[in-house]
Amino acid sequence: MRLFDSMTREVRELQPVDGKTFRFYCCGPTVYGPAHIGNFRTFVMNDVLRRVLEVSGVETYHVRNITDVDDKTIRDSEAAGETLADFTGRWLAQFHTDCEKLNCLPPHLEPSAVAHIPQQIAMIEELIAKGHAYAPGDGSVYFRIASFSDYGKLSRLDTRDLELGKTQSTRAGEQADEYEKDSISDFVLWKGQRGCDGENFWESPWGPGRPGWHLECSAMIREYLGDTFDLHGGGEDLAFPHHENEIAQSQCACGGEFARHWFHGAHLLVNGKKMSKSAGTIFTIADLEEKGFSAAEVRYELLSAYYRKQANFTLESLHAKKEALLKLSKAEAELRERVGGGEVPSYQDLLGLSSFGVFAEAFGKLTDDLNTAAAIGCVFTGLKGAQTHEDWLGFHGVLAALGLVLPVLSDSSEEIPAEVQVLAEERWAARSAKDWAKSDELRDTLKEMGWVANDGREGYELEKLS
Ligand code: AMP
Ligand code: ZN
């Protein structure tokens, strides 16, 4: 498999360093609220990467952390009057539910920052001993970026920025976990206790406090993946400062290569703009379910753009995925019948599939820099020529790699034309959103087409007018 490496800016072959298991790490969620579809674009792409490797026959080991202590989790748990553990536990459970609905494979290991405080303290002590960190006596500890000549290599920070950083010091003030590029400076490894932290502090050689956000990934990677591992992933916003800081901490403390490959996904926009609360464009899985969409349709939508390009999410394009998934289901049923396919193979059955038949091109798009959009296009092209049992297995192999689950066709849905199904779904979504004018309009259109939707509490049934 080949994948763009954001460190070297080249598409490179992925190779497990031990020749056996592909060991990779993805930065996980900060659990202080529900994850949005932008976050899920990144998590779904990480999941597809793993699936493509596994369907190709490569064993994987996937580690994804949980950020359960930082400025935001402390702030919001205090505001909610809950303990940090109760508060983050609640949002973690929600995250797991959403991931399951989206058919993301659970990572092999999901370590949390709070459960690794001693490892983080030990790493700080090592960095101080090696001259890469200092404790100025204000209860905090900082990483000295001037001590690491490769700082900025991943995000190509220009020399001017770095020179500025070297002469600046923000250590006198409070430093946020997240900051912008123009504030490059020594960053915090241990954050001394603040008045607003409540009970959320741990004892350390520098006094009570908590680790800085960037440190958890370095400490947990060291613990579970060692000094050199195969790939590190996350959204593009993490390249600077988060990943840059992880590299600095890990290479200075451990001396290894750290990640051999960097995988960054471009952001998801909504209606062409950055998601924003005030514009009402932050969608969660629950928001979209309320509008009548399924998580499988959301996954399809997230896969329909190449991960290196920004993608634009609209409710209109999500509507189209409903129809496309139904089309795929019908095509699968026809193909299965034609080839006497029998039971649909499970994910495990498809690992190491040796031939994809006419869907070889579709799978090839995935192994060539994870082009999910092109792969989906090739699936539809392949369906036109699919004839054999091998083709049918290949179709399922590509779907398993994409993690796409097809909707079950009911007896009636096989007779319902796709256009009618789509309009009925749109009407249900409008009704759920209490958009009565649109819902009535769609009811009339359906009637003109010879169909009526009988509503229940949880859904509707389509009936053909005689
Ligand atoms: P967070 O929970 O904020 O730490 O983010 C979890 C993941 O979502 C990180 O890998 C981010 O880079 C990623 N992310 C945040 N916003 C977006 C977005 N709009 N599109 C794609 N990925 C995102
Ligand atoms: Zn990280």
Side-chain angles (χ1 to χ4, degrees):
M1 155 138 209
R2 287 153 45 80
L3 191 77
F4 184 77
D5 173 12
S6 18
M7 178 66 90
T8 59
R9 312 266 154 118
E10 283 170 355
V11 175
R12 293 174 49 224
E13 194 71 31
L14 291 182
Q15 298 282 3
V17 68
D18 69 357
K20 207 167 103 264
T21 307
F22 192 82
R23 293 152 66 253
F24 71 109
Y25 182 93
C26 302
C27 294
T30 308
V31 280
Y32 72 111
H36 56 62
I37 50 170
N39 302 134
F40 283 121
R41 181 180 195 208
T42 295
F43 296 128
V44 163
M45 286 304 170
N46 291 165
D47 183 59
V48 180
L49 171 67
R50 170 171 164 190
R51 286 168 173 274
V52 173
L53 287 165
E54 292 184 347
V55 173
S56 305
V58 177
E59 205 178 292
T60 70
Y61 186 62
H62 174 198
V63 183
R64 184 179 67 207
N65 70 305
I66 299 152
T67 299
D68 53 359
V69 58
D70 78 329
D71 294 340
K72 292 178 290 193
T73 45
I74 292 178
R75 180 196 65 202
D76 291 0
S77 65
E78 288 290 303
E82 282 179 85
T83 65
L84 185 64
D86 285 351
F87 177 80
T88 57
R90 196 153 52 76
W91 288 117
L92 178 60
Q94 178 69 54
F95 177 69
H96 285 156
T97 304
D98 288 346
C99 284
E100 201 179 323
K101 284 182 179 172
L102 283 164
N103 198 29
C104 289
L105 296 167
H108 298 99
L109 201 70
E110 206 174 29
S112 96
V114 166
H116 294 79
I117 303 287
Q119 290 88 336
Q120 297 180 72
I121 291 178
M123 193 174 253
I124 298 174
E125 285 180 315
E126 255 180 275
L127 287 169
I128 293 177
K130 291 180 179 171
H132 294 291
Y134 55 95
D138 61 357
S140 295
V141 183
Y142 300 86
F143 185 92
R144 182 181 283 119
I145 62 166
S147 74
F148 181 54
S149 59
D150 272 351
Y151 193 85
K153 209 171 155 191
L154 175 68
S155 48
R156 307 284 206 275
L157 295 175
D158 65 40
T159 329
R160 215 194 90 251
D161 287 339
L162 278 177
E163 286 308 319
L164 184 74
K166 281 175 194 168
T167 54
Q168 244 182 15
S169 172
T170 56
R171 65 184 163 82
E174 188 179 290
Q175 200 186 63
D177 282 325
E178 290 171 66
Y179 52 90
E180 300 296 328
K181 191 171 169 170
D182 58 8
S183 64
I184 297 163
S185 59
D186 292 354
F187 60 90
V188 73
L189 295 168
W190 185 262
K191 211 164 163 165
Q193 185 184 11
R194 307 167 301 177
C196 58
D197 287 341
E199 297 297 304
N200 306 303
F201 62 88
W202 289 263
E203 292 303 331
S204 83
W206 316 282
R210 63 168 182 90
W213 169 48
H214 312 291
L215 189 60
E216 64 181 75
C217 293
S218 286
M220 293 191 267
I221 286 172
R222 173 188 228 179
E223 179 97 352
Y224 300 110
L225 294 168
D227 298 347
T228 302
F229 59 105
D230 297 314
L231 176 139
H232 193 317
E236 62 185 353
D237 57 309
L238 296 189
F240 180 85
H242 183 56
H243 290 159
E244 208 69 78
N245 292 354
E246 279 188 34
I247 295 171
Q249 293 161 160
S250 294
Q251 290 194 346
C252 292
C254 316
E257 188 184 348
F258 200 51
R260 298 171 67 232
H261 207 111
W262 286 89
F263 173 45
H264 287 109
H267 264 195
L268 183 74
L269 306 176
V270 172
N271 300 334
K273 297 202 183 84
K274 200 174 161 190
M275 281 180 234
S276 99
K277 245 192 193 141
S278 56
T281 52
I282 297 186
F283 291 114
T284 64
I285 297 302
D287 293 336
L288 294 171
E289 279 179 338
E290 218 168 89
K291 291 183 186 298
F293 298 102
S294 70
E297 289 154 10
V298 176
R299 182 170 178 120
Y300 191 142
E301 173 68 15
L302 296 174
L303 294 176
S304 55
Y306 182 30
Y307 81 92
R308 273 167 63 190
K309 297 223 166 87
Q310 282 196 336
N312 188 28
F313 177 90
T314 64
L315 289 174
E316 289 70 30
S317 62
L318 186 55
H319 269 300
K321 301 307 177 292
K322 203 175 275 296
E323 186 182 3
L325 273 175
L326 275 171
K327 243 190 211 166
L328 284 177
S329 260
K330 287 179 187 174
E332 193 280 337
E334 278 166 28
L335 182 59
R336 176 157 31 110
E337 177 118 358
R338 222 178 310 150
V339 303
E343 207 172 309
V344 170
S346 70
Y347 181 66
Q348 294 301 323
D349 294 338
L350 293 160
L351 303 184
L353 187 66
S354 55
S355 166
F356 290 80
V358 294
F359 296 97
E361 195 182 345
F363 195 68
K365 296 290 180 197
L366 292 177
T367 54
D368 186 11
D369 201 22
L370 214 62
N371 197 335
T372 51
I376 292 173
C378 288
V379 166
F380 281 99
T381 316
L383 278 169
K384 291 185 199 151
Q387 294 292 342
T388 65
H389 196 268
E390 190 187 30
D391 294 337
W392 178 69
L393 275 180
F395 173 82
H396 282 290
V398 176
L399 251 57
L402 289 166
L404 271 185
V405 177
L406 299 181
V408 178
L409 294 170
S410 62
D411 288 347
S412 56
S413 62
E414 283 187 73
E415 300 156 16
I416 301 168
E419 315 86 79
V420 171
Q421 189 75 57
V422 169
L423 287 174
E425 289 289 340
E426 281 182 29
R427 194 194 69 89
W428 182 257
R431 194 177 174 277
S432 308
K434 300 194 168 43
D435 184 348
W436 309 119
K438 186 168 179 199
S439 149
D440 286 349
E441 191 186 308
L442 287 163
R443 174 180 286 276
D444 292 344
T445 315
L446 282 169
K447 211 165 169 185
E448 280 163 26
M449 295 168 87
W451 293 83
V452 65
N454 300 314
D455 295 326
R457 224 152 51 93
E458 305 281 316
Y460 63 90
E461 273 192 15
L462 279 169
E463 191 189 327
K464 199 165 176 42
L465 294 168
S466 47

